[in-house]
Amino acid sequence: TAPTAVATGDKVNFLFIKNVDTNDRSIFIVLDGGTASSSVTDGITIGANEFFCARLPNTTVADIHAISSAGTVNAVVVALLDDVG
């Protein structure tokens, strides 16, 4: 059986992001569908060797946006999704 495709309306029951980058680069995320940046007031910053995890039962895949401080950041991302479609 083929795996179910991720859809923008799927709900994120749990999200884990670990920044495993060996440089001093950060990851900036927002959970409201806005633009992720280092200066957004409701943003979350994940520095090098830091992690973020949360239960987000009413957040959809489309609501989560991320950007790095520079270049490409190596990260581990794990999400438990509720397939609503």
Side-chain angles (χ1 to χ4, degrees):
T1 303
T4 302
V6 175
T8 57
D10 290 347
K11 293 191 175 186
V12 182
N13 287 331
F14 181 80
L15 178 65
F16 173 88
I17 302 171
K18 181 171 183 183
N19 183 344
V20 294
D21 200 73
T22 56
N23 297 307
D24 194 23
R25 298 180 207 150
S26 295
I27 301 168
F28 307 107
I29 64 171
V30 293
L31 305 173
D32 61 2
T35 301
S37 74
S38 61
S39 60
V40 68
T41 58
D42 63 345
I44 299 162
T45 301
I46 308 167
N49 297 311
E50 295 179 345
F51 72 91
F52 167 81
C53 62
R55 293 175 55 200
L56 308 167
N58 295 311
T59 302
T60 65
V61 169
D63 292 332
I64 301 171
H65 293 194
I67 193 168
S68 66
S69 60
T72 301
V73 173
N74 293 317
V76 175
V77 180
V78 179
L80 297 177
L81 304 177
D82 181 9
D83 180 18
V84 298

